[in-house]
Amino acid sequence: AFSFARVCLCTHRPSLTSMAPNVDGVFSGKRMPMTDSASVCAGSYADAVQSLKTKLRGALVSAGLASEEKFEVAVFGHGGRDTNLWLAIVEAVATDNELRDKVKVSVFSCSWVDDDWEWVMKYYVERLMADGTVAEGSISFTTMKYHEEVSVTMGRVMGHFYKAHCVVQCEQGVDMFVEPVTGEWLQDNYEDFAVNNACMAFAERSGVPSFLVQTNSDLDLSRGVDGDDVSENVFAGQLQSGAFSIKVEWAQSDCLPEAPPGTLIALAIKLGACPDKRQGFQQLLNFKVEEFASLPNLYAAYIAFSGLQTNALVPVAGALEVIVALVGQGHSLP
Protein backbone atom coordinates (compact mmCIF):
# COMPACT_ATOMS: atom_id res chain seq x y z
CA ALA A 1 0.00 0.00 0.00
CA PHE A 2 1.31 3.44 -0.68
CA SER A 3 0.49 6.72 1.02
CA PHE A 4 1.47 10.30 0.37
CA ALA A 5 2.95 10.84 3.70
CA ARG A 6 0.81 7.72 4.14
CA VAL A 7 1.31 5.20 1.34
CA CYS A 8 0.79 1.50 1.01
CA LEU A 9 1.94 -0.93 -1.66
CA CYS A 10 1.08 -4.61 -1.48
CA THR A 11 0.58 -7.72 -3.57
CA HIS A 12 -2.95 -8.89 -4.15
CA ARG A 13 -3.52 -12.53 -3.42
CA PRO A 14 -5.10 -14.51 -6.27
CA SER A 15 -6.52 -17.82 -5.04
CA LEU A 16 -3.81 -19.91 -6.69
CA THR A 17 -3.74 -23.58 -5.71
CA SER A 18 -0.77 -23.16 -3.39
CA MET A 19 -2.59 -20.42 -1.49
CA ALA A 20 -6.13 -21.79 -1.60
CA PRO A 21 -7.71 -22.14 1.87
CA ASN A 22 -8.97 -25.51 3.02
CA VAL A 23 -12.64 -26.33 3.56
CA ASP A 24 -12.47 -25.53 7.27
CA GLY A 25 -11.04 -22.12 6.43
CA VAL A 26 -13.76 -21.33 3.91
CA PHE A 27 -16.56 -22.11 6.37
CA SER A 28 -14.88 -20.71 9.47
CA GLY A 29 -16.83 -17.46 9.31
CA LYS A 30 -13.59 -15.49 9.13
CA ARG A 31 -12.60 -13.33 6.17
CA MET A 32 -9.69 -14.52 4.01
CA PRO A 33 -6.74 -12.15 3.63
CA MET A 34 -7.01 -10.10 0.42
CA THR A 35 -3.27 -9.55 0.16
CA ASP A 36 0.01 -11.34 0.70
CA SER A 37 0.79 -9.95 4.15
CA ALA A 38 4.56 -10.36 3.69
CA SER A 39 4.46 -8.00 0.70
CA VAL A 40 2.84 -5.03 2.41
CA CYS A 41 4.87 -1.81 2.38
CA ALA A 42 3.24 0.93 4.45
CA GLY A 43 5.15 4.19 4.59
CA SER A 44 5.99 7.27 2.57
CA TYR A 45 5.78 7.90 -1.15
CA ALA A 46 9.52 7.20 -1.41
CA ASP A 47 9.06 3.90 0.44
CA ALA A 48 6.36 2.85 -2.02
CA VAL A 49 8.47 3.76 -5.04
CA GLN A 50 11.41 1.75 -3.69
CA SER A 51 9.18 -1.23 -2.94
CA LEU A 52 7.71 -1.04 -6.44
CA LYS A 53 11.21 -1.17 -7.90
CA THR A 54 11.99 -4.34 -5.98
CA LYS A 55 8.68 -6.00 -6.88
CA LEU A 56 8.88 -5.07 -10.55
CA ARG A 57 12.48 -6.26 -10.84
CA GLY A 58 11.42 -9.62 -9.45
CA ALA A 59 8.39 -9.81 -11.75
CA LEU A 60 10.55 -8.90 -14.76
CA VAL A 61 12.99 -11.72 -14.03
CA SER A 62 10.17 -14.20 -13.41
CA ALA A 63 8.52 -13.31 -16.75
CA GLY A 64 11.55 -14.64 -18.64
CA LEU A 65 11.00 -12.36 -21.64
CA ALA A 66 13.14 -12.18 -24.74
CA SER A 67 15.67 -9.32 -24.63
CA GLU A 68 13.73 -7.20 -27.13
CA GLU A 69 10.30 -7.75 -25.49
CA LYS A 70 8.84 -5.12 -23.16
CA PHE A 71 7.46 -6.05 -19.75
CA GLU A 72 3.92 -4.66 -19.89
CA VAL A 73 2.29 -3.24 -16.75
CA ALA A 74 -1.46 -2.53 -16.97
CA VAL A 75 -2.60 0.02 -14.37
CA PHE A 76 -6.25 0.71 -13.51
CA GLY A 77 -7.40 3.74 -11.56
CA HIS A 78 -10.56 3.66 -9.48
CA GLY A 79 -11.52 7.25 -10.30
CA GLY A 80 -9.68 10.46 -11.07
CA ARG A 81 -7.93 11.01 -7.75
CA ASP A 82 -7.09 7.31 -7.53
CA THR A 83 -5.55 7.20 -11.01
CA ASN A 84 -2.99 9.82 -9.98
CA LEU A 85 -1.22 7.12 -7.97
CA TRP A 86 0.08 5.51 -11.16
CA LEU A 87 2.84 8.13 -11.07
CA ALA A 88 4.53 6.13 -8.29
CA ILE A 89 4.87 3.24 -10.76
CA VAL A 90 6.10 5.58 -13.50
CA GLU A 91 8.69 6.99 -11.10
CA ALA A 92 9.82 3.53 -10.00
CA VAL A 93 10.44 2.51 -13.61
CA ALA A 94 11.94 5.79 -14.80
CA THR A 95 14.52 5.99 -11.99
CA ASP A 96 15.70 2.37 -12.06
CA ASN A 97 18.38 1.31 -14.53
CA GLU A 98 17.13 -2.28 -14.62
CA LEU A 99 13.56 -1.25 -15.45
CA ARG A 100 13.77 2.00 -17.41
CA ASP A 101 14.23 0.55 -20.90
CA LYS A 102 12.53 -2.79 -20.33
CA VAL A 103 9.15 -1.85 -18.86
CA LYS A 104 6.13 -0.12 -20.35
CA VAL A 105 3.47 1.26 -17.98
CA SER A 106 -0.02 1.75 -19.44
CA VAL A 107 -2.67 3.38 -17.28
CA PHE A 108 -6.41 3.26 -17.91
CA SER A 109 -8.33 5.92 -16.04
CA CYS A 110 -11.77 5.20 -14.65
CA SER A 111 -13.89 8.25 -13.96
CA TRP A 112 -17.26 9.95 -14.29
CA VAL A 113 -18.53 11.00 -17.68
CA ASP A 114 -18.39 14.70 -16.82
CA ASP A 115 -14.88 14.59 -15.28
CA ASP A 116 -12.47 16.66 -17.34
CA TRP A 117 -9.14 16.16 -15.53
CA GLU A 118 -7.73 13.68 -18.05
CA TRP A 119 -6.37 16.29 -20.44
CA VAL A 120 -4.12 17.63 -17.69
CA MET A 121 -2.64 14.18 -17.04
CA LYS A 122 -2.16 13.61 -20.78
CA TYR A 123 -0.33 16.93 -21.04
CA TYR A 124 1.86 15.98 -18.07
CA VAL A 125 2.68 12.62 -19.68
CA GLU A 126 3.70 14.42 -22.88
CA ARG A 127 6.04 16.67 -20.90
CA LEU A 128 7.63 13.69 -19.10
CA MET A 129 8.37 12.06 -22.45
CA ALA A 130 9.53 15.28 -24.11
CA ASP A 131 12.05 16.20 -21.40
CA GLY A 132 13.43 12.66 -21.07
CA THR A 133 12.16 12.05 -17.55
CA VAL A 134 10.81 8.72 -18.81
CA ALA A 135 12.22 6.54 -21.58
CA GLU A 136 10.66 6.85 -25.00
CA GLY A 137 7.61 4.60 -25.35
CA SER A 138 7.67 3.58 -21.67
CA ILE A 139 4.33 5.10 -20.59
CA SER A 140 0.87 5.60 -22.06
CA PHE A 141 -2.35 7.13 -20.74
CA THR A 142 -5.79 6.00 -21.92
CA THR A 143 -9.03 7.65 -20.83
CA MET A 144 -11.79 5.29 -19.72
CA LYS A 145 -15.27 6.49 -18.81
CA TYR A 146 -17.91 4.41 -17.06
CA HIS A 147 -21.17 5.31 -18.73
CA GLU A 148 -22.43 2.28 -20.64
CA GLU A 149 -23.88 -1.15 -19.94
CA VAL A 150 -21.78 -3.11 -17.46
CA SER A 151 -20.97 -5.82 -20.00
CA VAL A 152 -19.61 -3.20 -22.41
CA THR A 153 -17.44 -1.55 -19.77
CA MET A 154 -16.06 -4.87 -18.53
CA GLY A 155 -15.40 -5.93 -22.11
CA ARG A 156 -13.26 -2.82 -22.55
CA VAL A 157 -11.45 -3.52 -19.27
CA MET A 158 -10.69 -7.08 -20.33
CA GLY A 159 -9.42 -5.83 -23.68
CA HIS A 160 -6.76 -3.76 -21.91
CA PHE A 161 -5.23 -6.85 -20.31
CA TYR A 162 -3.80 -7.79 -23.70
CA LYS A 163 -0.11 -8.76 -23.31
CA ALA A 164 -0.03 -7.59 -19.66
CA HIS A 165 2.68 -9.22 -17.57
CA CYS A 166 1.58 -7.42 -14.40
CA VAL A 167 -1.61 -5.73 -13.17
CA VAL A 168 -1.73 -2.79 -10.75
CA GLN A 169 -4.79 -1.14 -9.19
CA CYS A 170 -4.78 2.36 -7.70
CA GLU A 171 -7.12 3.23 -4.84
CA GLN A 172 -7.62 6.39 -2.79
CA GLY A 173 -9.57 5.58 0.35
CA VAL A 174 -10.67 2.07 1.36
CA ASP A 175 -14.15 1.70 -0.13
CA MET A 176 -12.67 -0.74 -2.64
CA PHE A 177 -12.34 -3.29 0.16
CA VAL A 178 -15.98 -3.38 1.23
CA GLU A 179 -18.79 -5.29 -0.43
CA PRO A 180 -20.69 -3.14 -2.96
CA VAL A 181 -23.93 -3.92 -1.14
CA THR A 182 -22.73 -1.55 1.60
CA GLY A 183 -23.49 1.20 -0.88
CA GLU A 184 -25.69 -0.55 -3.37
CA TRP A 185 -26.62 2.64 -5.17
CA LEU A 186 -23.09 4.01 -5.27
CA GLN A 187 -21.64 3.62 -8.74
CA ASP A 188 -18.15 4.11 -7.31
CA ASN A 189 -18.46 1.09 -5.01
CA TYR A 190 -19.70 -1.13 -7.79
CA GLU A 191 -16.99 -0.07 -10.25
CA ASP A 192 -14.24 -0.68 -7.70
CA PHE A 193 -15.63 -4.14 -7.02
CA ALA A 194 -16.10 -5.06 -10.69
CA VAL A 195 -12.68 -3.84 -11.84
CA ASN A 196 -10.95 -5.54 -8.91
CA ASN A 197 -12.70 -8.78 -9.79
CA ALA A 198 -11.60 -8.49 -13.42
CA CYS A 199 -7.99 -7.74 -12.44
CA MET A 200 -7.81 -10.62 -9.98
CA ALA A 201 -9.44 -13.08 -12.38
CA PHE A 202 -6.95 -12.15 -15.10
CA ALA A 203 -3.99 -12.41 -12.70
CA GLU A 204 -5.07 -15.86 -11.55
CA ARG A 205 -5.85 -17.13 -15.04
CA SER A 206 -2.61 -15.80 -16.53
CA GLY A 207 -0.31 -16.40 -13.56
CA VAL A 208 0.87 -12.78 -13.42
CA PRO A 209 1.42 -10.64 -10.29
CA SER A 210 -1.30 -8.23 -9.17
CA PHE A 211 -0.31 -5.20 -7.08
CA LEU A 212 -2.27 -2.55 -5.23
CA VAL A 213 -1.20 1.06 -4.62
CA GLN A 214 -3.38 2.85 -2.05
CA THR A 215 -3.48 6.13 -0.15
CA ASN A 216 -5.62 8.27 2.17
CA SER A 217 -7.46 5.63 4.22
CA ASP A 218 -8.98 8.42 6.32
CA LEU A 219 -11.19 9.41 3.38
CA ASP A 220 -13.49 6.42 3.93
CA LEU A 221 -12.75 5.54 7.55
CA SER A 222 -14.46 8.81 8.42
CA ARG A 223 -17.53 7.60 6.51
CA GLY A 224 -18.00 4.49 8.61
CA VAL A 225 -15.82 1.82 6.98
CA ASP A 226 -14.62 -0.69 9.60
CA GLY A 227 -10.94 0.20 9.93
CA ASP A 228 -10.08 -2.79 12.13
CA ASP A 229 -11.54 -5.22 9.60
CA VAL A 230 -9.78 -3.59 6.64
CA SER A 231 -6.50 -3.38 8.55
CA GLU A 232 -6.54 -7.06 9.46
CA ASN A 233 -7.66 -8.47 6.11
CA VAL A 234 -6.00 -6.10 3.66
CA PHE A 235 -3.04 -4.35 5.27
CA ALA A 236 -1.67 -7.07 7.56
CA GLY A 237 -2.43 -4.89 10.58
CA GLN A 238 -0.57 -1.89 9.12
CA LEU A 239 -3.45 0.33 8.05
CA GLN A 240 -2.28 3.93 8.31
CA SER A 241 -4.59 6.69 9.45
CA GLY A 242 -4.49 10.01 11.24
CA ALA A 243 -2.11 11.68 8.79
CA PHE A 244 -4.35 14.71 8.46
CA SER A 245 -4.88 15.40 12.16
CA ILE A 246 -1.52 17.14 12.55
CA LYS A 247 -1.79 20.69 13.89
CA VAL A 248 -0.63 23.59 11.74
CA GLU A 249 0.88 26.81 13.09
CA TRP A 250 1.30 29.98 11.05
CA ALA A 251 4.16 32.46 11.30
CA GLN A 252 2.82 34.65 8.48
CA SER A 253 -0.94 34.34 8.84
CA ASP A 254 -1.38 38.04 8.08
CA CYS A 255 -0.91 37.20 4.38
CA LEU A 256 -4.25 35.34 4.38
CA PRO A 257 -7.58 37.06 3.78
CA GLU A 258 -9.27 35.08 6.58
CA ALA A 259 -8.50 32.87 9.56
CA PRO A 260 -5.78 30.33 8.64
CA PRO A 261 -6.45 26.57 8.75
CA GLY A 262 -5.51 24.98 12.07
CA THR A 263 -4.95 21.38 10.95
CA LEU A 264 -3.35 19.65 8.00
CA ILE A 265 -6.72 18.38 6.74
CA ALA A 266 -8.17 21.90 6.88
CA LEU A 267 -5.14 23.21 4.99
CA ALA A 268 -5.38 20.47 2.34
CA ILE A 269 -9.10 21.05 1.86
CA LYS A 270 -8.66 24.81 1.61
CA LEU A 271 -5.88 24.45 -0.95
CA GLY A 272 -7.83 21.87 -2.93
CA ALA A 273 -10.98 23.98 -3.11
CA CYS A 274 -9.27 27.33 -3.71
CA PRO A 275 -10.92 28.99 -6.76
CA ASP A 276 -7.58 30.40 -7.94
CA LYS A 277 -4.95 27.66 -7.62
CA ARG A 278 -1.97 29.87 -8.43
CA GLN A 279 -2.96 32.31 -5.74
CA GLY A 280 -3.83 29.50 -3.32
CA PHE A 281 -0.46 27.78 -3.64
CA GLN A 282 1.29 31.13 -3.23
CA GLN A 283 -0.69 32.25 -0.17
CA LEU A 284 -0.96 28.93 1.65
CA LEU A 285 2.39 27.35 0.76
CA ASN A 286 4.53 30.27 -0.44
CA PHE A 287 5.05 28.26 -3.62
CA LYS A 288 4.74 29.22 -7.28
CA VAL A 289 3.12 26.46 -9.32
CA GLU A 290 5.27 27.52 -12.28
CA GLU A 291 8.12 25.86 -10.38
CA PHE A 292 6.37 22.46 -10.26
CA ALA A 293 9.42 20.70 -11.72
CA SER A 294 11.46 21.65 -8.65
CA LEU A 295 9.45 19.29 -6.46
CA PRO A 296 11.29 16.03 -5.71
CA ASN A 297 8.81 13.45 -7.01
CA LEU A 298 6.44 13.05 -9.94
CA TYR A 299 3.26 12.95 -7.88
CA ALA A 300 3.85 16.20 -6.01
CA ALA A 301 5.06 17.84 -9.23
CA TYR A 302 1.90 16.74 -11.04
CA ILE A 303 -0.35 18.24 -8.36
CA ALA A 304 1.42 21.59 -8.71
CA PHE A 305 1.39 21.22 -12.51
CA SER A 306 -2.37 20.69 -12.46
CA GLY A 307 -2.70 23.89 -10.41
CA LEU A 308 -0.83 25.68 -13.17
CA GLN A 309 -3.19 24.37 -15.85
CA THR A 310 -6.61 24.46 -14.19
CA ASN A 311 -8.49 25.54 -11.08
CA ALA A 312 -10.11 22.13 -10.71
CA LEU A 313 -10.31 20.49 -7.28
CA VAL A 314 -7.00 19.15 -5.91
CA PRO A 315 -7.27 15.88 -3.92
CA VAL A 316 -6.33 16.26 -0.26
CA ALA A 317 -3.80 13.41 -0.60
CA GLY A 318 -2.12 15.37 -3.36
CA ALA A 319 -2.08 18.57 -1.33
CA LEU A 320 -0.55 16.64 1.57
CA GLU A 321 2.22 15.23 -0.63
CA VAL A 322 3.11 18.69 -1.93
CA ILE A 323 3.37 19.95 1.65
CA VAL A 324 5.53 16.98 2.70
CA ALA A 325 7.76 17.48 -0.34
CA LEU A 326 8.24 21.17 0.43
CA VAL A 327 9.03 20.45 4.08
CA GLY A 328 11.58 17.85 3.00
CA GLN A 329 13.27 20.44 0.79
CA GLY A 330 13.49 22.96 3.61
CA HIS A 331 11.08 25.26 1.81
CA SER A 332 10.01 28.38 3.71
CA LEU A 333 6.32 27.80 4.48
CA PRO A 334 4.16 30.61 5.85
Side-chain angles (χ1 to χ4, degrees), residues 141-162:
F141 179 86
T142 300
T143 298
M144 276 189 64
K145 297 290 190 182
Y146 284 173
H147 61 281
E148 64 259 292
E149 293 293 332
V150 175
S151 61
V152 177
T153 294
M154 298 316 297
R156 290 196 298 130
V157 170
M158 296 303 294
H160 291 313
F161 289 134
Y162 177 64

Side-chain angles (χ1 to χ4, degrees), residues 45-271:
Y45 178 90
D47 294 330
V49 170
Q50 187 58 47
S51 184
L52 276 165
K53 290 182 180 182
T54 301
K55 288 177 170 61
L56 289 173
R57 286 191 212 118
L60 175 61
V61 172
S62 297
L65 304 178
S67 59
E68 69 280 2
E69 188 176 0
K70 287 274 192 179
F71 183 85
E72 302 269 355
V73 181
V75 184
F76 290 85
H78 287 293
R81 296 169 298 179
D82 309 64
T83 305
N84 293 342
L85 305 192
W86 86 296
L87 292 169
I89 306 154
V90 173
E91 187 147 4
V93 171
T95 56
D96 187 280
N97 291 333
E98 295 181 37
L99 302 173
R100 181 176 173 88
D101 296 314
K102 297 179 180 179
V103 177
K104 179 179 180 181
V105 183
S106 301
V107 68
F108 307 97
S109 71
C110 305
S111 57
W112 305 107
V113 181
D114 56 355
D115 280 354
D116 61 356
W117 61 272
E118 289 93 346
W119 71 269
V120 181
M121 180 63 79
K122 285 184 177 180
Y123 188 20
Y124 189 59
V125 166
E126 290 172 2
R127 291 185 65 100
L128 294 179
M129 291 191 288
D131 64 16
T133 298
V134 301
E136 183 178 357
S138 65
I139 60 174
S140 69
F141 179 86
T142 300
T143 298
M144 276 189 64
K145 297 290 190 182
Y146 284 173
H147 61 281
E148 64 259 292
E149 293 293 332
V150 175
S151 61
V152 177
T153 294
M154 298 316 297
R156 290 196 298 130
V157 170
M158 296 303 294
H160 291 313
F161 289 134
Y162 177 64
K163 294 199 306 182
H165 302 107
C166 176
V167 178
V168 184
Q169 295 183 74
C170 299
E171 168 70 5
Q172 179 177 228
V174 291
D175 58 338
M176 170 184 168
F177 311 112
V178 300
E179 296 293 338
V181 73
T182 59
E184 56 194 291
W185 300 114
L186 290 179
Q187 182 183 4
D188 186 45
N189 278 36
Y190 177 75
E191 288 165 3
D192 289 356
F193 186 83
V195 172
N196 175 61
N197 181 68
C199 288
M200 297 304 292
F202 172 78
E204 181 176 358
R205 183 174 64 253
S206 305
V208 303
S210 177
F211 301 143
L212 166 72
V213 183
Q214 182 270 345
T215 189
N216 192 8
S217 302
D218 293 298
L219 177 68
D220 294 314
L221 294 179
S222 63
R223 298 173 179 172
V225 171
D226 187 337
D228 292 336
D229 182 53
V230 172
S231 181
E232 178 183 356
N233 293 293
V234 181
F235 297 102
Q238 300 181 54
L239 180 69
Q240 299 180 101
S241 62
F244 294 100
S245 60
I246 299 172
K247 301 293 183 182
V248 174
E249 295 182 359
W250 295 79
Q252 305 168 27
S253 60
D254 56 335
C255 67
L256 301 177
E258 54 190 36
T263 62
L264 199 54
I265 183 63
L267 174 57
I269 291 174
K270 188 175 183 63
L271 179 64

Side-chain angles (χ1 to χ4, degrees), residues 274-287:
C274 185
D276 185 329
K277 290 297 182 292
R278 295 191 187 202
Q279 183 182 64
F281 273 82
Q282 182 66 56
Q283 285 187 337
L284 296 171
L285 302 181
N286 190 31
F287 181 75

